[in-house]
Amino acid sequence: MARLEILVLATIFVFISGPAVVMGADYVPPCASIIYQLSPCVSYLTRQKNYPETACCNGVKYLKDYTSDKQERQSICECLESVAPMYGGLDFSLIPSLPKKCRVSMKIPNINSPNFDCSK
């Protein structure tokens, strides 16, 4: 997907998602920011590349700061769930490998199929 298309999608999501999700004292970036940070991962998640690009890993590292509790991870998962249908050809089984491939220690929801379960 071209960078311009990603930027357009991110802009649309800013308007859809509104301000950042706030749950108590926890802060999760708006869905548009999450998508923007992870958009460089699409080439890896569609098996166009064997390893995630540096920009993808930078996005994973950025999100690490927002995965310390279950509510934060759930919000990120719900964001990804809402946009996944827009990205045809995603290999969901690669999502759990992103932190390890990027050398980032973090918990992520178990998203390994198109059937997301963000409650876990």
Side-chain angles (χ1 to χ4, degrees):
M1 186 175 275
R3 278 283 208 212
L4 181 58
E5 291 174 15
I6 300 292
L7 187 57
V8 169
L9 279 175
T11 303
I12 290 169
F13 275 97
V14 167
F15 291 108
I16 291 172
S17 63
V21 176
V22 177
M23 295 181 171
D26 299 328
Y27 167 82
V28 176
C31 189
S33 294
I34 294 167
I35 300 310
Y36 178 77
Q37 292 294 326
L38 294 180
S39 64
C41 300
V42 171
S43 61
Y44 171 69
L45 296 174
T46 55
R47 294 195 178 267
Q48 294 173 7
K49 303 218 175 195
N50 292 327
Y51 287 91
E53 298 177 23
T54 301
C56 169
C57 291
N58 289 340
V60 172
K61 290 173 187 169
Y62 167 83
L63 287 179
K64 178 186 180 197
D65 293 337
Y66 306 104
T67 60
S68 61
D69 70 31
K70 184 177 178 180
Q71 287 181 328
E72 292 171 336
R73 291 188 298 274
Q74 188 172 1
S75 294
I76 292 170
C77 178
E78 289 168 354
C79 167
L80 297 175
E81 179 181 33
S82 71
V83 299
M86 295 179 198
Y87 294 93
L90 286 183
D91 183 344
F92 292 91
S93 69
L94 294 175
I95 293 173
S97 70
L98 275 173
K100 184 176 181 180
K101 294 268 186 184
C102 292
R103 297 186 172 125
V104 176
S105 177
M106 64 188 279
K107 286 185 176 182
I108 62 170
N110 190 17
I111 304 169
N112 57 13
S113 76
N115 304 318
F116 286 61
D117 184 0
C118 296
S119 66
K120 295 182 179 180

